């Protein structure tokens, strides 16, 4: 029976070998567990799985083999729902109708047309393809379908808005999240450079023994500074908008980083870095921080990690005034390049599945700007990012 179980694990993609199977058989022969499926589950996982990132896949294979549960192949495909992007009425549009819905001719033309609509419109509108309102195919309003427009009020559906006319309040990330952070900590272990700094508060056992022996047996305690990770880390978190769908995942990363790095600084931005950043999302409108001040505060020895889905209107990167929330004087790419030039050891973590990146123009632009150092926010992606930053 266990031979078939072993092959089920291999079929599920687990890196199990005959050595792990023999270890499990030996444990059963010595009756480490007996007559309990729960105890057998814990024992078999202990013997067969050597890396925590494979726990979920082991659970699927175990349930499939012993409980006849359907095995889900490619579980990560279900992390991002597909239907939220396509409300039912949009699905009813024909290909010909969608082809007729075109952008208004660029950013400047879009803003010029919006100004004209505001001057002309006299009342509320629903549906249609011209006025500011809800539904329909107009580029102004919300709840409709248009490949490029200005969202005014209401939730976004397609993450395609060129600007958002809405004062949005974002929440700070929590660094007290514990569930799921252990695996991320292990993935970050490659970004470690230990050094002993600070007050001598840790017992140096070897030195104490030597000193006590030299002191004719009289106890002579020797202390030393505690060993800390000496790497200095600066993190920039994209918050709000489409990043709301990834809050739990980003909070786990944030919590793991806070516990792993003694020298950690962080700032928030929305979609792209501009002339202002902030530390508290509830005060971001009245207590913004000048990006130049951040550039001049931290040395070049810091490693920098940007965390964001990189999904936005390309205008936010390429045009002055392209930000969805304010009239920025310089394009987002100019500000981003200033940060990259200051901190050459940088990387971008993206919570969106990697095989979706090629479908977003802004993601392709950012990936090129960071010299290909964009990594998926998976355990393997975080581990690869940590290795690149430690080089």
């Amino acid at each position: 029976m266990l031979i078939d179980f072993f092959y089920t694990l291999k079929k599920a993609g687990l890196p199990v070998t005959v050595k792990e199977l023999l270890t499990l058989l030996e444990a059963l022969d010595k009756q480490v567990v007996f007559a309990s499926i729960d105890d057998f589950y814990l024992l078999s996982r202990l013997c067969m799985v050597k890396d925590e990132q494979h726990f979920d896949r082991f659970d699927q294979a175990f349930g499939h083999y012993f409980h006849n549960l359907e095995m889900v192949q490619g579980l990560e495909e279900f992390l991002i729902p597909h239907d939220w992007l396509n409300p039912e009425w949009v699905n009813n549009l024909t290909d010909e109708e969608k082809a007729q819905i075109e952008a208004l001719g660029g950013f400047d033309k879009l803003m010029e047309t919006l100004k004209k609509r505001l001057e002309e419109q006299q009342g509320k509108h629903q549906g249609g393809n011209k006025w500011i309102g809800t539904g329909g195919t107009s580029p102004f309003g919300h709840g409709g379908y248009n490949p490029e427009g200005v969202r005014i009020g209401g939730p976004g559906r397609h993450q395609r808005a060129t600007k958002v006319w809405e004062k949005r309040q974002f929440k700070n990330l929590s660094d007290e999240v514990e569930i799921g952070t252990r695996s991320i900590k292990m993935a970050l272990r490659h970004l470690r450079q230990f050094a002993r700094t600070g007050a001598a508060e840790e017992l140096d056992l070897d030195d104490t023994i030597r000193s006590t022996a030299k002191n004719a047996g009289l106890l002579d305690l020797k202390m030393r500074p505690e060993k800390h990770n000496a790497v200095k880390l600066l993190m920039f978190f994209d918050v709000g908008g489409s990043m709301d769908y990834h809050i739990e995942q980003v909070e786990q990363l944030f919590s793991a980083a806070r516990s792993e790095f003694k020298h950690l600084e962080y700032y928030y931005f929305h979609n792209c870095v501009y002339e202002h950043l902030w530390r508290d999302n509830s005060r971001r409108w009245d207590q913004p921080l000048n990006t130049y001040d951040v550039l001049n505060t931290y040395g070049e020895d810091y490693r920098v990690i940007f965390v964001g889905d990189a999904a936005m209107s390309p205008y936010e990167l390429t045009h002055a005034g392209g930000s969805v929330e304010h009239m920025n004087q310089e394009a987002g790419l100019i500000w981003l390049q200033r940060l990259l030039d200051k901190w050459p050891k940088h990387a971008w973590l993206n919570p969106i599945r990697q095989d979706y990146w090629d479908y977003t123009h802004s993601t392709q632009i950012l990936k090129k700007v960071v010299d290909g150092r964009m990594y998926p926010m998976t355990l393997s992606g975080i581990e690869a990012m940590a290795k690149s930053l430690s080089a």
Side-chain angles (χ1 to χ4, degrees):
M1 183 177 81
L2 290 183
I3 298 296
D4 292 337
F5 176 53
F6 173 75
Y7 282 115
T8 299
L9 296 179
K10 290 186 70 68
K11 183 179 178 181
L14 287 160
V16 293
T17 66
V18 175
K19 181 179 179 180
E20 283 82 34
L21 176 60
L22 293 176
T23 300
L24 177 60
L25 291 172
E26 183 179 358
L28 292 174
D29 184 60
K30 296 182 181 299
Q31 295 190 347
V32 174
V33 300
F34 181 75
S36 170
I37 188 65
D38 292 333
D39 291 344
F40 174 73
Y41 160 77
L42 294 173
L43 176 65
S44 59
R45 193 181 72 171
L46 176 65
C47 295
M48 307 296 282
V49 182
K50 302 303 182 184
D51 193 322
E52 287 177 324
Q53 66 177 305
H54 297 134
F55 278 178
D56 287 342
R57 194 171 293 274
F58 175 84
D59 289 347
Q60 294 177 49
F62 188 94
H64 171 72
Y65 187 78
F66 289 101
H67 300 293
N68 294 319
L69 299 178
E70 181 179 358
M71 187 181 299
V72 179
Q73 297 292 340
L75 181 64
E76 64 275 6
E77 293 180 5
F78 296 89
L79 295 178
I80 302 176
H82 295 276
D83 55 354
W84 71 270
L85 287 172
N86 295 288
E88 184 174 352
W89 74 270
V90 171
N91 293 333
N92 294 329
L93 293 176
T94 66
D95 292 339
E96 290 76 15
E97 289 172 330
K98 290 183 179 181
Q100 293 174 1
I101 303 172
E102 299 178 351
L104 292 179
F107 178 76
D108 294 336
K109 181 64 175 178
L110 186 69
M111 301 308 294
E112 179 185 338
T113 305
L114 173 60
K115 181 180 179 181
K116 185 177 180 181
R117 293 287 188 275
L118 289 171
E119 293 172 351
E120 296 175 351
Q121 187 163 332
Q122 301 296 321
K124 178 180 178 181
H125 284 269
Q126 291 180 315
N129 60 5
K130 176 180 179 181
W131 298 112
I132 303 169
T134 59
T137 58
S138 168
F140 310 113
H142 72 89
Y145 179 91
N146 195 283
E148 181 178 85
V150 178
R151 175 160 63 85
I152 302 176
R157 292 183 181 274
H158 307 281
Q159 316 305 325
R160 296 288 298 274
T162 299
K163 273 194 175 292
V164 176
W165 194 344
E166 177 184 32
K167 184 176 181 180
R168 293 177 286 176
Q169 296 292 341
F170 306 142
K171 294 183 179 180
N172 292 340
L173 297 176
S174 171
D175 61 352
E176 297 178 355
V177 176
E178 290 296 335
I179 298 177
T181 59
R182 177 175 170 81
S183 297
I184 299 177
K185 291 178 184 179
M186 294 181 65
L188 288 170
R189 68 187 184 273
H190 296 282
L191 190 53
R192 291 177 177 176
Q193 293 179 2
F194 287 109
R196 297 190 182 277
T197 58
E201 298 177 346
E202 180 182 87
L203 177 65
D204 188 337
L205 183 58
D206 292 338
D207 197 11
T208 297
I209 293 174
R210 286 193 297 268
S211 299
T212 300
K214 293 179 180 179
N215 202 25
L218 294 177
L219 183 61
D220 185 10
L221 292 175
K222 296 294 182 181
M223 309 299 289
R224 64 185 177 185
E226 187 178 355
K227 183 182 290 187
H228 294 285
N229 188 356
V231 169
K232 298 178 181 179
L233 187 61
L234 183 57
M235 302 186 75
F236 296 94
F237 292 95
D238 181 6
V239 292
S242 56
M243 283 299 294
D244 286 346
Y245 299 98
H246 311 289
I247 286 179
E248 182 178 0
Q249 190 177 7
V250 177
E251 283 188 334
Q252 291 174 359
L253 171 70
F254 183 50
S255 184
R258 282 292 290 263
S259 64
E260 283 293 302
F261 298 94
K262 180 181 180 181
H263 304 286
L264 171 65
E265 301 292 341
Y266 63 93
Y267 293 90
Y268 297 117
F269 67 95
H270 180 56
N271 283 352
C272 187
V273 176
Y274 295 106
E275 65 273 14
H276 291 108
L277 302 164
W278 57 93
R279 290 292 296 266
D280 186 341
N281 280 302
S282 65
R283 307 300 300 274
R284 74 186 185 105
W285 295 110
D286 48 40
Q287 289 186 356
L289 302 173
N290 192 300
T291 304
Y292 273 124
D293 291 340
V294 176
L295 280 164
N296 295 326
T297 298
Y298 306 102
E300 297 179 3
D301 55 338
Y302 272 81
R303 271 75 164 176
V304 167
I305 300 175
F306 297 91
V307 182
D309 59 11
M312 68 198 83
S313 166
Y315 295 128
E316 297 199 55
L317 301 173
T318 60
H319 282 62
S323 168
V324 296
E325 297 188 308
H326 74 293
M327 297 302 294
N328 51 300
Q329 298 300 312
E330 294 181 294
L333 284 180
I334 295 177
W335 282 104
L336 181 60
Q337 193 61 54
R338 287 180 178 134
L339 271 62
L340 300 181
D341 292 340
K342 174 64 181 289
W343 295 292
K345 290 191 174 183
H346 56 259
W348 190 295
L349 273 181
N350 193 330
I352 299 295
R353 280 180 48 186
Q354 190 170 1
D355 53 353
Y356 285 1
W357 293 356
D358 291 338
Y359 298 102
T360 307
H361 188 197
S362 59
T363 305
Q364 297 177 52
I365 294 175
L366 287 173
K367 184 179 178 181
K368 183 177 180 180
V369 170
V370 297
D371 296 325
R373 284 175 283 184
M374 181 178 285
Y375 301 90
M377 198 183 297
T378 60
L379 293 180
S380 58
I382 294 173
E383 186 172 330
M385 176 208 65
K387 289 180 179 179
S388 72
L389 290 177
S390 63

